Amino acid sequence: MTHPDVSYPRNADTPTSHLPFSPSVRFGDLIFISGQASVDAEGKIVSDTFEGEFRRSIENVRKVLAAAGSDLAHVIQTRNYVRDAADVPLYNQLYREYFTEPYPTRTTITNCLPPTLRYEIEVVAVKRPA
């Protein structure tokens, strides 16, 4: 049973997955985005350098946020998963390209992903004002 104020926004750009999860859930003005990784439109993993996977993951977040009525400027929290701790300095550098002060709250966990992924991110955002 779903709550009447809960929606599951998607559009043609929203990456899909064969796994049992919704890309986003919106409750009022809050938007919860499931972990986005370096995947193509059909959810197939696209292996790349850390930078390539980071950028593809963020672009997937952008697509999911757009479908839900938001964007990166309205992200209030991020949870980040970095496979190799050695990539953390590059991760911090790239992160600053996409998120600016005042930064969203952030958690970063390292040494946690399978060998097929270098990076994954999930976010909480608010809806863009009308």
Side-chain angles (χ1 to χ4, degrees), residues 57-111:
S57 298
I58 296 293
E59 290 309 314
N60 285 340
V61 167
R62 276 191 210 266
K63 292 172 185 176
V64 177
L65 284 169
S70 193
D71 54 38
L72 291 178
H74 291 86
V75 170
I76 59 174
Q77 181 182 44
T78 68
R79 291 183 196 96
N80 303 265
Y81 306 90
V82 178
R83 185 181 74 194
D84 301 318
D87 287 324
V88 169
L90 178 57
Y91 153 70
N92 282 319
Q93 176 187 329
L94 295 168
Y95 190 91
R96 286 182 179 99
E97 290 181 28
Y98 293 92
F99 300 101
T100 58
E101 290 188 43
Y103 296 107
T105 62
R106 179 177 100 165
T107 299
T108 304
I109 301 170
T110 62
N111 304 317

Side-chain angles (χ1 to χ4, degrees), residues 42-61:
E42 289 77 42
K44 182 180 175 193
I45 293 173
V46 180
S47 295
D48 203 342
T49 62
F50 179 83
E51 181 174 352
E53 289 196 20
F54 180 93
R55 291 186 189 282
R56 191 170 292 102
S57 298
I58 296 293
E59 290 309 314
N60 285 340
V61 167

